[in-house]
Amino acid sequence: MDLHMKLEHRIARFKDVEACVVFQSGFAANAGTVAAVLTPDDHIISDALNHASIIDGCRLSKAKIHVFPHKDCVAAGHILDDLDATPAESC
């Protein structure tokens, strides 16, 4: 919408940056930014109970997703250890 474009331009000028993006919801912000920042070459270590918007963003990014049980820092550490031990060519 034209109104959103005007808002984005005003915010960008105010922040003295080239551009900005305004999302219509938190869900769209999570899904959109995660998908935009990550690539298929990246790895995501994700809590099993992450919000659906984060999960959708991860899927849209096509990054490799590694899920650990909710709040299980030891399991998350094992995923990191396994990734660290894996040669980069085979990731």
Side-chain angles (χ1 to χ4, degrees):
M1 292 182 65
D2 186 52
L3 182 63
H4 290 132
M5 297 297 290
K6 288 179 183 176
L7 176 62
E8 289 173 349
H9 290 295
R10 288 188 71 180
I11 293 171
R13 275 198 318 268
F14 175 75
K15 297 294 288 179
D16 195 27
V17 295
E18 183 178 336
C20 79
V21 177
V22 174
F23 290 97
Q24 73 275 22
S25 69
F27 193 105
N30 283 344
T33 53
V34 171
V37 172
L38 299 170
T39 71
D41 295 328
D42 292 316
H43 291 265
I44 298 167
I45 294 93
S46 178
D47 189 293
L49 295 185
N50 271 341
H51 190 270
S53 60
I54 296 170
I55 294 168
D56 284 353
C58 293
R59 289 179 181 155
L60 288 169
S61 75
K62 306 255 191 303
K64 294 153 197 78
I65 303 169
H66 309 273
V67 179
F68 61 90
H70 182 56
K71 293 185 176 182
D72 190 340
C73 294
V74 173
H78 290 313
I79 293 170
L80 288 169
D81 291 342
D82 291 345
L83 289 172
D84 192 39
T86 305
E89 297 83 37
S90 65
C91 286

